[in-house]
């Protein structure tokens, strides 16, 4: 069991058939769910599945939380998408990684995130901070 950082293979195909719309105000609803180190997440992940060792604890609800989309843009020849940092307030949880998924489209997986080890919050804020939204670092990039 392991979590790796990857753009899900199914997502790459789904982009080409118009399954996902990241537009801020009129697009799909995307969520981020947290998982323990016992989860198996990576490029082959196709959909959100709470039974794959999703985190549980105070301040966290099954399925995770909605992400706030930032309308996609371009930088040079790279298209990119970003989200506002996500905070689970007053949380007592331990997570090893996360899944971003489209809850508007049958919970289809977008990408998996490995945290590089367990991250813990005890009655405090558990924050998922997204990288700089540019051609080299944005969480979702198509170059």
């Amino acid at each position: 069991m392991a979590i790796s950082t990857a753009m899900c293979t199914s997502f790459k195909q789904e982009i080409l058939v118009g399954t996902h719309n990241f537009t801020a105000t009129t697009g799909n609803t995307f969520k981020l769910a947290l998982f323990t180190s016992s989860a198996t997440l990576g490029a082959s992940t196709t959909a959100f599945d709470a039974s794959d060792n999703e985190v549980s604890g105070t301040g966290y609800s099954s399925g995770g939380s909605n992400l706030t989309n930032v309308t996609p843009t371009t930088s040079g020849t790279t298209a990119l998408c970003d989200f506002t940092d996500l905070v689970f307030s007053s949380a007592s949880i331990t997570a090893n990684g996360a899944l971003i998924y489209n809850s508007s489209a049958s919970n289809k997986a977008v990408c998996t995130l490995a945290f590089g080890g367990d991250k813990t919050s005890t009655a405090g804020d558990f924050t998922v901070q997204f990288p700089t939204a540019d051609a080299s670092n944005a969480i979702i990039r198509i170059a």
Side-chain angles (χ1 to χ4, degrees), residues 28-54:
N28 299 140
T29 300
F30 293 89
K31 297 183 88 169
L32 182 140
L34 298 172
F35 290 84
T36 71
S37 60
S38 297
T40 301
L41 298 173
S44 64
T45 301
T46 59
F48 167 73
D49 181 358
S51 68
D52 190 14
N53 295 291
E54 184 182 13

Short mmCIF file of all heavy atoms in Angstrom, two decimals, residues 28-54:
data_model
loop_
_atom_site.label_atom_id
_atom_site.label_comp_id
_atom_site.label_asym_id
_atom_site.label_seq_id
_atom_site.Cartn_x
_atom_site.Cartn_y
_atom_site.Cartn_z
N ASN A 28 -17.64 22.23 -12.74
CA ASN A 28 -17.97 21.10 -11.86
C ASN A 28 -17.51 21.38 -10.43
O ASN A 28 -16.72 22.29 -10.18
CB ASN A 28 -17.29 19.83 -12.34
CG ASN A 28 -17.72 19.40 -13.73
OD1 ASN A 28 -16.90 18.96 -14.50
ND2 ASN A 28 -18.99 19.52 -14.06
N THR A 29 -18.01 20.55 -9.50
CA THR A 29 -17.57 20.62 -8.11
C THR A 29 -16.45 19.61 -7.91
O THR A 29 -16.61 18.42 -8.18
CB THR A 29 -18.73 20.29 -7.15
OG1 THR A 29 -19.77 21.25 -7.36
CG2 THR A 29 -18.28 20.31 -5.70
N PHE A 30 -15.31 20.11 -7.45
CA PHE A 30 -14.16 19.26 -7.16
C PHE A 30 -13.96 19.22 -5.66
O PHE A 30 -14.17 20.21 -4.96
CB PHE A 30 -12.90 19.78 -7.87
CG PHE A 30 -13.01 19.65 -9.36
CD1 PHE A 30 -13.58 20.66 -10.12
CD2 PHE A 30 -12.59 18.50 -10.00
CE1 PHE A 30 -13.72 20.54 -11.50
CE2 PHE A 30 -12.73 18.35 -11.38
CZ PHE A 30 -13.29 19.38 -12.12
N LYS A 31 -13.56 18.06 -5.16
CA LYS A 31 -13.36 17.87 -3.73
C LYS A 31 -11.97 17.29 -3.49
O LYS A 31 -11.36 16.72 -4.39
CB LYS A 31 -14.42 16.91 -3.17
CG LYS A 31 -15.84 17.46 -3.28
CD LYS A 31 -16.85 16.54 -2.65
CE LYS A 31 -16.97 16.89 -1.19
NZ LYS A 31 -18.11 16.22 -0.53
N LEU A 32 -11.51 17.44 -2.26
CA LEU A 32 -10.26 16.84 -1.83
C LEU A 32 -10.57 15.97 -0.62
O LEU A 32 -11.13 16.45 0.37
CB LEU A 32 -9.24 17.91 -1.47
CG LEU A 32 -7.86 17.36 -1.05
CD1 LEU A 32 -6.76 18.22 -1.65
CD2 LEU A 32 -7.73 17.29 0.45
N ALA A 33 -10.22 14.69 -0.73
CA ALA A 33 -10.39 13.74 0.38
C ALA A 33 -9.01 13.32 0.88
O ALA A 33 -8.07 13.20 0.09
CB ALA A 33 -11.17 12.52 -0.10
N LEU A 34 -8.91 13.12 2.18
CA LEU A 34 -7.65 12.74 2.81
C LEU A 34 -7.63 11.24 3.10
O LEU A 34 -8.66 10.64 3.41
CB LEU A 34 -7.48 13.51 4.13
CG LEU A 34 -7.41 15.02 4.00
CD1 LEU A 34 -7.44 15.67 5.39
CD2 LEU A 34 -6.16 15.45 3.24
N PHE A 35 -6.42 10.65 3.03
CA PHE A 35 -6.27 9.21 3.22
C PHE A 35 -5.09 8.90 4.15
O PHE A 35 -4.13 9.66 4.24
CB PHE A 35 -6.06 8.51 1.87
CG PHE A 35 -7.30 8.53 1.03
CD1 PHE A 35 -7.62 9.62 0.24
CD2 PHE A 35 -8.18 7.46 1.05
CE1 PHE A 35 -8.78 9.66 -0.51
CE2 PHE A 35 -9.35 7.47 0.30
CZ PHE A 35 -9.65 8.58 -0.49
N THR A 36 -5.17 7.75 4.80
CA THR A 36 -4.12 7.29 5.69
C THR A 36 -3.01 6.61 4.89
O THR A 36 -3.16 6.34 3.69
CB THR A 36 -4.66 6.28 6.72
OG1 THR A 36 -4.96 5.05 6.05
CG2 THR A 36 -5.89 6.82 7.45
N SER A 37 -1.94 6.26 5.57
CA SER A 37 -0.81 5.58 4.93
C SER A 37 -1.17 4.17 4.47
O SER A 37 -0.42 3.56 3.72
CB SER A 37 0.39 5.53 5.88
OG SER A 37 0.04 4.82 7.05
N SER A 38 -2.31 3.65 4.87
CA SER A 38 -2.75 2.32 4.43
C SER A 38 -3.46 2.35 3.08
O SER A 38 -3.80 1.31 2.54
CB SER A 38 -3.68 1.70 5.47
OG SER A 38 -2.98 1.51 6.68
N ALA A 39 -3.69 3.54 2.54
CA ALA A 39 -4.39 3.67 1.26
C ALA A 39 -3.46 3.35 0.09
O ALA A 39 -2.23 3.43 0.21
CB ALA A 39 -4.92 5.09 1.10
N THR A 40 -4.07 2.99 -1.02
CA THR A 40 -3.35 2.80 -2.27
C THR A 40 -3.92 3.79 -3.27
O THR A 40 -5.06 3.65 -3.74
CB THR A 40 -3.53 1.36 -2.79
OG1 THR A 40 -3.03 0.46 -1.80
CG2 THR A 40 -2.77 1.15 -4.09
N LEU A 41 -3.15 4.84 -3.56
CA LEU A 41 -3.57 5.88 -4.50
C LEU A 41 -2.42 6.18 -5.46
O LEU A 41 -1.27 6.25 -5.04
CB LEU A 41 -3.92 7.18 -3.76
CG LEU A 41 -5.06 7.15 -2.75
CD1 LEU A 41 -5.12 8.49 -2.01
CD2 LEU A 41 -6.38 6.88 -3.44
N GLY A 42 -2.75 6.39 -6.72
CA GLY A 42 -1.74 6.72 -7.72
C GLY A 42 -2.36 6.88 -9.09
O GLY A 42 -3.58 7.07 -9.22
N ALA A 43 -1.57 6.78 -10.14
CA ALA A 43 -2.02 7.00 -11.51
C ALA A 43 -3.18 6.10 -11.90
O ALA A 43 -4.03 6.48 -12.71
CB ALA A 43 -0.86 6.83 -12.48
N SER A 44 -3.25 4.91 -11.33
CA SER A 44 -4.32 3.97 -11.70
C SER A 44 -5.63 4.22 -10.96
O SER A 44 -6.64 3.56 -11.24
CB SER A 44 -3.86 2.54 -11.47
OG SER A 44 -3.63 2.31 -10.10
N THR A 45 -5.66 5.17 -10.02
CA THR A 45 -6.89 5.49 -9.29
C THR A 45 -7.90 6.09 -10.28
O THR A 45 -7.55 7.00 -11.03
CB THR A 45 -6.60 6.49 -8.15
OG1 THR A 45 -5.64 5.90 -7.26
CG2 THR A 45 -7.86 6.84 -7.38
N THR A 46 -9.13 5.60 -10.27
CA THR A 46 -10.14 6.08 -11.22
C THR A 46 -11.27 6.86 -10.57
O THR A 46 -11.96 7.61 -11.24
CB THR A 46 -10.74 4.91 -12.02
OG1 THR A 46 -11.33 3.99 -11.11
CG2 THR A 46 -9.69 4.22 -12.87
N ALA A 47 -11.49 6.66 -9.26
CA ALA A 47 -12.60 7.35 -8.60
C ALA A 47 -12.38 7.38 -7.09
O ALA A 47 -11.63 6.57 -6.55
CB ALA A 47 -13.92 6.64 -8.90
N PHE A 48 -13.06 8.30 -6.43
CA PHE A 48 -13.05 8.37 -4.97
C PHE A 48 -13.71 7.12 -4.41
O PHE A 48 -14.77 6.70 -4.86
CB PHE A 48 -13.80 9.62 -4.50
CG PHE A 48 -14.11 9.60 -3.03
CD1 PHE A 48 -13.11 9.80 -2.10
CD2 PHE A 48 -15.40 9.35 -2.57
CE1 PHE A 48 -13.37 9.77 -0.74
CE2 PHE A 48 -15.68 9.31 -1.22
CZ PHE A 48 -14.67 9.53 -0.30
N ASP A 49 -13.07 6.53 -3.40
CA ASP A 49 -13.60 5.35 -2.72
C ASP A 49 -13.25 5.47 -1.23
O ASP A 49 -12.10 5.30 -0.85
CB ASP A 49 -13.00 4.08 -3.31
CG ASP A 49 -13.52 2.81 -2.68
OD1 ASP A 49 -14.34 2.87 -1.73
OD2 ASP A 49 -13.11 1.73 -3.13
N ALA A 50 -14.25 5.79 -0.43
CA ALA A 50 -14.03 5.99 1.01
C ALA A 50 -13.49 4.73 1.68
O ALA A 50 -12.81 4.83 2.71
CB ALA A 50 -15.33 6.41 1.69
N SER A 51 -13.74 3.57 1.10
CA SER A 51 -13.31 2.33 1.74
C SER A 51 -11.81 2.07 1.57
O SER A 51 -11.27 1.13 2.14
CB SER A 51 -14.10 1.13 1.20
OG SER A 51 -13.78 0.89 -0.16
N ASP A 52 -11.12 2.92 0.80
CA ASP A 52 -9.67 2.75 0.61
C ASP A 52 -8.90 3.53 1.67
O ASP A 52 -8.03 4.33 1.37
CB ASP A 52 -9.24 3.18 -0.79
CG ASP A 52 -7.79 2.79 -1.09
OD1 ASP A 52 -7.21 1.97 -0.34
OD2 ASP A 52 -7.23 3.32 -2.06
N ASN A 53 -9.28 3.35 2.92
CA ASN A 53 -8.57 3.93 4.07
C ASN A 53 -8.61 5.45 4.10
O ASN A 53 -7.60 6.11 4.33
CB ASN A 53 -7.13 3.41 4.12
CG ASN A 53 -7.10 1.93 4.38
OD1 ASN A 53 -7.43 1.48 5.46
ND2 ASN A 53 -6.74 1.15 3.36
N GLU A 54 -9.81 5.99 3.91
CA GLU A 54 -9.99 7.43 4.06
C GLU A 54 -9.82 7.80 5.53
O GLU A 54 -10.15 7.03 6.43
CB GLU A 54 -11.38 7.85 3.58
CG GLU A 54 -11.60 9.35 3.62
CD GLU A 54 -12.98 9.79 3.18
OE1 GLU A 54 -13.89 8.94 3.06
OE2 GLU A 54 -13.15 10.99 2.96
#
